[in-house]
Short mmCIF file of all heavy atoms in Angstrom, two decimals:
data_model
loop_
_atom_site.label_atom_id
_atom_site.label_comp_id
_atom_site.label_asym_id
_atom_site.label_seq_id
_atom_site.Cartn_x
_atom_site.Cartn_y
_atom_site.Cartn_z
N PRO A 35 -25.74 -20.71 -23.87
CA PRO A 35 -26.36 -21.27 -25.04
C PRO A 35 -27.75 -21.76 -24.80
O PRO A 35 -28.43 -22.17 -25.78
CB PRO A 35 -25.35 -22.44 -25.16
CG PRO A 35 -25.05 -22.82 -23.85
CD PRO A 35 -24.90 -21.55 -23.10
N LEU A 36 -28.16 -21.85 -23.61
CA LEU A 36 -29.40 -22.24 -23.29
C LEU A 36 -30.17 -21.10 -22.46
O LEU A 36 -29.45 -20.29 -21.76
CB LEU A 36 -29.47 -23.56 -22.52
CG LEU A 36 -28.93 -24.73 -23.18
CD1 LEU A 36 -28.86 -25.88 -22.28
CD2 LEU A 36 -29.83 -25.17 -24.38
N ARG A 37 -31.41 -21.17 -22.45
CA ARG A 37 -32.06 -20.21 -21.75
C ARG A 37 -31.92 -20.44 -20.10
O ARG A 37 -31.26 -21.44 -19.82
CB ARG A 37 -33.58 -20.08 -21.96
CG ARG A 37 -33.84 -19.42 -23.35
CD ARG A 37 -35.36 -19.64 -23.79
NE ARG A 37 -35.63 -21.02 -24.25
CZ ARG A 37 -36.71 -21.37 -24.66
NH1 ARG A 37 -37.77 -20.64 -24.83
NH2 ARG A 37 -36.95 -22.61 -25.00
N SER A 38 -32.48 -19.67 -19.32
CA SER A 38 -32.34 -19.88 -17.84
C SER A 38 -32.46 -21.26 -17.48
O SER A 38 -33.30 -22.11 -17.93
CB SER A 38 -33.34 -19.04 -17.19
OG SER A 38 -33.37 -19.41 -15.79
N TRP A 39 -31.48 -21.75 -16.68
CA TRP A 39 -31.56 -23.18 -16.09
C TRP A 39 -32.93 -23.39 -15.34
O TRP A 39 -33.49 -24.46 -15.31
CB TRP A 39 -30.41 -23.53 -15.23
CG TRP A 39 -30.22 -22.83 -13.96
CD1 TRP A 39 -29.40 -21.87 -13.67
CD2 TRP A 39 -30.92 -23.20 -12.76
NE1 TRP A 39 -29.55 -21.43 -12.39
CE2 TRP A 39 -30.52 -22.23 -11.78
CE3 TRP A 39 -31.87 -24.10 -12.34
CZ2 TRP A 39 -30.95 -22.22 -10.48
CZ3 TRP A 39 -32.34 -23.99 -11.07
CH2 TRP A 39 -31.93 -23.06 -10.17
N ARG A 40 -33.38 -22.22 -14.71
CA ARG A 40 -34.58 -22.44 -14.00
C ARG A 40 -35.72 -22.70 -14.84
O ARG A 40 -36.60 -23.48 -14.71
CB ARG A 40 -34.96 -21.04 -13.14
CG ARG A 40 -33.99 -20.79 -12.14
CD ARG A 40 -34.41 -19.54 -11.35
NE ARG A 40 -33.42 -19.14 -10.36
CZ ARG A 40 -33.46 -19.64 -9.21
NH1 ARG A 40 -34.26 -20.58 -8.75
NH2 ARG A 40 -32.50 -19.33 -8.29
N GLU A 41 -35.75 -22.00 -16.10
CA GLU A 41 -36.83 -22.38 -17.14
C GLU A 41 -36.64 -23.78 -17.69
O GLU A 41 -37.72 -24.40 -17.73
CB GLU A 41 -36.56 -21.38 -18.25
CG GLU A 41 -37.72 -21.45 -19.32
CD GLU A 41 -37.56 -20.45 -20.41
OE1 GLU A 41 -36.94 -19.45 -20.26
OE2 GLU A 41 -38.21 -20.64 -21.54
N GLN A 42 -35.45 -24.28 -17.87
CA GLN A 42 -35.25 -25.62 -18.24
C GLN A 42 -35.74 -26.57 -17.22
O GLN A 42 -36.33 -27.66 -17.53
CB GLN A 42 -33.75 -25.96 -18.56
CG GLN A 42 -33.31 -24.98 -19.71
CD GLN A 42 -33.77 -25.48 -21.08
OE1 GLN A 42 -34.05 -26.68 -21.33
NE2 GLN A 42 -34.06 -24.47 -21.92
N TYR A 43 -35.44 -26.25 -15.92
CA TYR A 43 -35.91 -27.07 -14.80
C TYR A 43 -37.40 -27.16 -14.69
O TYR A 43 -37.97 -28.24 -14.52
CB TYR A 43 -35.17 -26.53 -13.51
CG TYR A 43 -35.60 -27.23 -12.25
CD1 TYR A 43 -35.35 -28.61 -12.15
CD2 TYR A 43 -36.22 -26.53 -11.23
CE1 TYR A 43 -35.66 -29.21 -10.90
CE2 TYR A 43 -36.56 -27.18 -10.07
CZ TYR A 43 -36.26 -28.47 -9.92
OH TYR A 43 -36.59 -29.33 -8.71
N GLU A 44 -37.98 -26.00 -14.82
CA GLU A 44 -39.51 -25.91 -14.68
C GLU A 44 -40.22 -26.79 -15.79
O GLU A 44 -41.22 -27.45 -15.70
CB GLU A 44 -40.03 -24.49 -14.73
CG GLU A 44 -39.64 -23.80 -13.44
CD GLU A 44 -39.78 -22.31 -13.57
OE1 GLU A 44 -40.30 -21.83 -14.67
OE2 GLU A 44 -39.53 -21.54 -12.67
N LYS A 45 -39.51 -26.70 -16.98
CA LYS A 45 -40.06 -27.48 -18.23
C LYS A 45 -40.00 -28.97 -17.89
O LYS A 45 -40.97 -29.77 -18.20
CB LYS A 45 -39.42 -27.08 -19.49
CG LYS A 45 -39.87 -25.82 -20.00
CD LYS A 45 -39.06 -25.42 -21.31
CE LYS A 45 -39.60 -24.06 -21.83
NZ LYS A 45 -38.92 -23.79 -23.12
N ALA A 46 -38.77 -29.35 -17.35
CA ALA A 46 -38.56 -30.66 -17.03
C ALA A 46 -39.56 -31.31 -16.03
O ALA A 46 -40.11 -32.33 -16.16
CB ALA A 46 -37.19 -30.96 -16.59
N LEU A 47 -39.81 -30.36 -14.96
CA LEU A 47 -40.71 -30.84 -13.93
C LEU A 47 -42.21 -30.91 -14.46
O LEU A 47 -42.90 -31.90 -14.19
CB LEU A 47 -40.66 -29.85 -12.83
CG LEU A 47 -39.58 -29.75 -11.92
CD1 LEU A 47 -39.72 -28.63 -10.81
CD2 LEU A 47 -39.24 -31.08 -11.34
N ALA A 48 -42.55 -30.10 -15.41
CA ALA A 48 -43.79 -30.20 -16.09
C ALA A 48 -43.93 -31.46 -16.91
O ALA A 48 -45.02 -32.09 -16.93
CB ALA A 48 -44.13 -28.91 -16.99
N ASP A 49 -42.82 -31.88 -17.53
CA ASP A 49 -42.94 -33.04 -18.34
C ASP A 49 -42.99 -34.31 -17.45
O ASP A 49 -43.66 -35.21 -17.78
CB ASP A 49 -41.58 -33.24 -19.14
CG ASP A 49 -41.53 -32.19 -20.27
OD1 ASP A 49 -42.62 -31.71 -20.61
OD2 ASP A 49 -40.46 -31.90 -20.79
N LEU A 50 -42.31 -34.30 -16.25
CA LEU A 50 -42.36 -35.36 -15.43
C LEU A 50 -43.69 -35.52 -14.57
O LEU A 50 -43.97 -36.61 -14.15
CB LEU A 50 -41.26 -35.28 -14.35
CG LEU A 50 -39.77 -35.57 -14.93
CD1 LEU A 50 -38.61 -35.19 -13.92
CD2 LEU A 50 -39.54 -37.05 -15.29
N GLY A 51 -44.27 -34.39 -14.30
CA GLY A 51 -45.58 -34.27 -13.51
C GLY A 51 -45.06 -34.49 -11.99
O GLY A 51 -44.15 -34.04 -11.64
N ASP A 52 -45.91 -35.18 -11.34
CA ASP A 52 -45.70 -35.43 -9.88
C ASP A 52 -45.01 -36.63 -9.64
O ASP A 52 -44.60 -36.86 -8.48
CB ASP A 52 -46.97 -35.34 -9.11
CG ASP A 52 -47.71 -34.11 -9.21
OD1 ASP A 52 -47.03 -33.02 -9.31
OD2 ASP A 52 -48.95 -34.12 -9.24
N ASP A 53 -44.72 -37.47 -10.62
CA ASP A 53 -44.10 -38.79 -10.37
C ASP A 53 -42.64 -38.86 -10.74
O ASP A 53 -42.34 -38.52 -11.97
CB ASP A 53 -44.90 -39.83 -11.19
CG ASP A 53 -46.30 -39.91 -10.81
OD1 ASP A 53 -46.53 -39.87 -9.51
OD2 ASP A 53 -47.17 -40.14 -11.59
N PRO A 54 -41.73 -39.12 -9.85
CA PRO A 54 -40.31 -39.24 -10.31
C PRO A 54 -40.13 -40.38 -11.25
O PRO A 54 -40.88 -41.34 -11.28
CB PRO A 54 -39.56 -39.66 -9.03
CG PRO A 54 -40.56 -39.10 -7.91
CD PRO A 54 -41.97 -39.33 -8.53
N SER A 55 -39.16 -40.18 -12.11
CA SER A 55 -38.99 -41.28 -13.18
C SER A 55 -37.83 -42.17 -12.59
O SER A 55 -37.33 -42.06 -11.55
CB SER A 55 -38.38 -40.60 -14.41
OG SER A 55 -37.12 -40.05 -14.25
#
Side-chain angles (χ1 to χ4, degrees):
L36 297 168
R37 286 172 290 181
S38 166
W39 67 260
R40 292 184 187 276
E41 183 177 345
Q42 296 291 325
Y43 176 57
E44 291 170 359
K45 287 183 178 180
L47 291 181
D49 291 342
L50 289 169
D52 297 326
D53 300 320
S55 69

